[in-house]
Amino acid sequence: MEQPVPAERTLSVCSRLCYAAGHFLNDLCASMWFTYLLVYLHSVLGLQSTFAGVLLLVGQVADGVCTPLVGYESDRSTGRHGKRKNWHLLGTICVLLSFPFIFNPCLACSTNTPQWAEVIYFVPFIIIFQFGWAATQISHLSLIPELVSGESAKVELTAFRYAFTVVANITVYAVAWLLFHFQAQHDMDITDNLGRADIPLFRMLAFILLAIGAVFSLIFHAGTKEKSRTVGEDPLLAPSPDEEVLPLQVFQWQHWLKEPSFYQVAFLYMCTRLIANLSQSYISVYLTNSLMLPKNFIAIIPLVMYVSGFVSSLAMKPISKLVGISMMYFAGLLLVIGFAIWVILDKNMGADSIYGAAVLLGAGSAIILVMSLSMTAKLIGEHTQSGAFVYGSMSFTDKVANGVGVIVIQSIRPCSTEACCPACIWFYRDVMATVTGGVAVAAALCLVTILIWPIKTRKTAS
């Protein structure tokens, strides 16, 4: 008997908005983590650049280790309110409890405390935060192929999710700009350079963002309905009473490791996140140390980047339906490479021209992020029972690569003290151009392999 084709699952606009709200807290914290952690630890708290890199590396490694483990456990677990939402709730609680301590000075330290002791103080809070962030991210991503089916619907839901990511980043930079503005208005002794006087500003920024994120997490849990089911049950594979019972085609985690497409998508996803996260991590120090712009620009320029990303995300669905996911991804890479060329050639880039470069990077990063997630959802297809493991593995590659990238960059920085020597003024310009342009070329080469050998999985009978 020929089995009927399952009806395509879709969500209402309200349900899509509620789903997208579920990663808002993560996006707020990730934006502050990648954009401000290095500059906060180095320029505000005065830690050596290597120590600042070590703390970011600890966070990335912890996140990288947690993501596949959380994905594996999420696939195996059950829950009355949905196994994905249970992990999401646990992750949200961990993030809310740990993140405030990261952007706050060591509570038990004094002026005589050695810097290595301060590093040890921050490590437990960073690990708890990264575990919570990973649990929230993987459970949220794993819901995409469970809530909707069909390539177009998955791209659309991923675009909704990224639109909220952009709004979260815009919120971070808008609030940061307001805090910098009020600080300048009420304290005439504050300079345009970052220092310990800015500690209360970053502390207040963290508390405001956590309060906003908690509200959006509540909206997600109230408005997103996940079907509760037992381990191994897949609603797409359950036969109706009138159908012949056939062997289930079930993918377990070990089956993915035998799939060539799994490694193709993992490498592409890693390159995508390297471009987005490392450029976000070093844009602040590039603006303040290389371009010598006032500190309020570390809020203005990222804001411009994410506004352009938000605008481009609105056009992704109709354009990707016309040209395909792969060609849309390639278009995003061209914008990123354009940014890298602009940065390396314009040696006298000032406050005016940086806006145009920021638009290119913001739009390009938005496109490749959404398209890489859409490729991951396409890879998973209807094998949703092990989808969390796939997302966890993808995230593992990018977190470890990001952490290693940061520690390498911080280690080869010409000077490790708080002050910036003449040799390191243009160091961060070279970092911005090399990271975005070089990794974009590597991603383009990987994309060629996907065009030659399209994303697909072999069926595995249970």
Side-chain angles (χ1 to χ4, degrees):
M1 175 184 290
E2 183 178 347
Q3 288 186 299
V5 178
E8 183 171 314
R9 289 163 293 146
T10 59
L11 294 176
S12 65
V13 174
C14 181
S15 296
R16 278 175 274 176
L17 291 173
C18 289
Y19 165 79
H23 208 253
F24 202 75
L25 173 62
N26 259 22
D27 291 329
L28 292 172
C29 293
S31 177
M32 190 169 179
W33 169 270
F34 284 113
T35 308
Y36 296 132
L37 183 69
L38 289 177
V39 73
Y40 172 76
L41 294 175
H42 182 62
S43 300
V44 178
L45 296 187
L47 294 181
Q48 293 182 10
S49 61
T50 305
F51 283 146
V54 166
L55 285 175
L56 196 145
L57 174 63
V58 167
Q60 295 305 102
V61 171
D63 193 357
V65 171
C66 288
T67 44
L69 296 178
V70 168
Y72 176 72
E73 290 297 327
S74 176
D75 288 332
R76 294 174 66 245
S77 63
T78 58
R80 181 178 178 183
H81 301 290
K83 59 182 182 180
R84 310 302 188 193
K85 289 179 66 176
N86 285 343
W87 278 94
H88 186 283
L89 180 60
L90 174 62
T92 300
I93 293 172
C94 290
V95 169
L96 292 173
L97 293 179
S98 60
F99 194 72
F101 292 96
I102 299 175
F103 283 90
N104 204 43
C106 174
L107 299 179
C109 301
S110 64
T111 55
N112 298 324
T113 303
Q115 290 195 356
W116 61 263
E118 293 188 61
V119 171
I120 294 175
Y121 168 84
F122 283 113
V123 166
F125 298 112
I126 288 176
I127 292 176
I128 295 172
F129 163 68
Q130 292 293 357
F131 166 78
W133 200 96
T136 304
Q137 180 204 30
I138 299 306
S139 58
H140 193 256
L141 282 172
S142 302
L143 281 171
I144 293 178
E146 295 191 9
L147 294 176
V148 297
S149 62
E151 186 173 308
S152 177
K154 291 175 184 177
V155 170
E156 185 176 31
L157 193 58
T158 304
F160 265 81
R161 185 179 184 274
Y162 185 76
F164 270 70
T165 299
V166 173
V167 172
N169 281 274
I170 292 173
T171 302
V172 172
Y173 304 131
V175 174
W177 179 83
L178 288 174
L179 291 176
F180 279 122
H181 178 74
F182 290 142
Q183 182 193 57
Q185 292 289 325
H186 293 88
D187 196 339
M188 298 303 176
D189 296 329
I190 296 294
T191 65
D192 281 337
N193 299 320
L194 291 168
R196 294 192 69 86
D198 296 301
I199 289 176
L201 185 147
F202 284 95
R203 181 194 300 128
M204 180 61 66
L205 178 60
F207 281 121
I208 292 174
L209 298 181
L210 289 176
I212 297 173
V215 173
F216 277 82
S217 295
L218 184 62
I219 293 173
F220 163 77
H221 280 277
T224 302
K225 307 301 180 184
E226 178 189 358
K227 178 179 173 62
S228 178
R229 59 181 185 267
T230 59
V231 177
E233 179 188 351
D234 193 321
L236 292 179
L237 301 174
S240 67
D242 298 330
E243 293 176 24
E244 181 183 357
V245 179
L246 298 176
L248 298 180
Q249 303 293 325
V250 179
F251 252 51
Q252 302 298 339
W253 67 270
Q254 63 268 25
H255 297 141
W256 289 110
L257 301 181
K258 302 175 184 178
E259 294 295 326
S261 292
F262 176 81
Y263 298 98
Q264 287 177 296
V265 176
F267 184 81
L268 194 74
Y269 184 83
M270 180 189 72
C271 291
T272 301
R273 299 304 306 190
L274 275 173
I275 294 171
N277 292 343
L278 289 183
S279 63
Q280 191 176 3
S281 296
Y282 285 100
I283 188 67
S284 295
V285 287
Y286 169 64
L287 295 171
T288 55
N289 291 351
S290 295
L291 302 186
M292 301 296 183
L293 296 174
K295 63 185 180 183
N296 64 322
F297 271 79
I298 68 174
I300 296 173
I301 296 304
L303 181 61
V304 171
M305 290 170 52
Y306 279 93
V307 168
S308 66
F310 178 74
V311 173
S312 64
S313 69
L314 299 177
M316 284 183 200
K317 183 187 176 182
I319 297 178
S320 65
K321 289 184 69 174
L322 292 175
V323 303
I325 295 176
S326 297
M327 295 310 299
M328 191 72 184
Y329 186 94
F330 181 69
L333 286 181
L334 291 180
L335 294 176
V336 172
I337 294 173
F339 165 82
I341 295 174
W342 192 337
V343 167
I344 205 69
L345 293 182
D346 191 353
K347 300 184 183 299
N348 298 316
M349 182 178 291
D352 295 330
S353 54
I354 187 61
Y355 287 102
V359 169
L360 288 182
L361 181 59
S365 297
I367 293 171
I368 62 177
L369 279 171
V370 172
M371 293 302 107
S372 65
L373 287 173
S374 298
M375 289 182 188
T376 307
K378 181 179 180 180
L379 172 69
I380 295 172
E382 305 302 344
H383 302 296
T384 59
Q385 67 282 343
S386 56
F389 173 79
V390 176
Y391 282 115
S393 301
M394 302 293 148
S395 189
F396 172 79
T397 61
D398 96 77
K399 297 304 189 305
V400 174
N402 275 307
V404 172
V406 167
I407 196 63
V408 169
I409 292 171
Q410 293 299 101
S411 299
I412 64 176
R413 184 178 185 267
C415 57
S416 60
T417 58
E418 182 178 351
C420 193
C421 68
C424 75
I425 289 179
W426 293 109
F427 171 74
Y428 290 114
R429 182 201 68 177
D430 297 335
V431 168
M432 289 295 294
T434 302
V435 166
T436 54
V439 179
V441 171
L445 294 176
C446 181
L447 185 63
V448 170
T449 69
I450 292 178
L451 292 174
I452 298 174
W453 299 286
I455 299 172
K456 63 180 179 179
T457 56
R458 295 165 294 187
K459 294 185 181 297
T460 302
S462 61

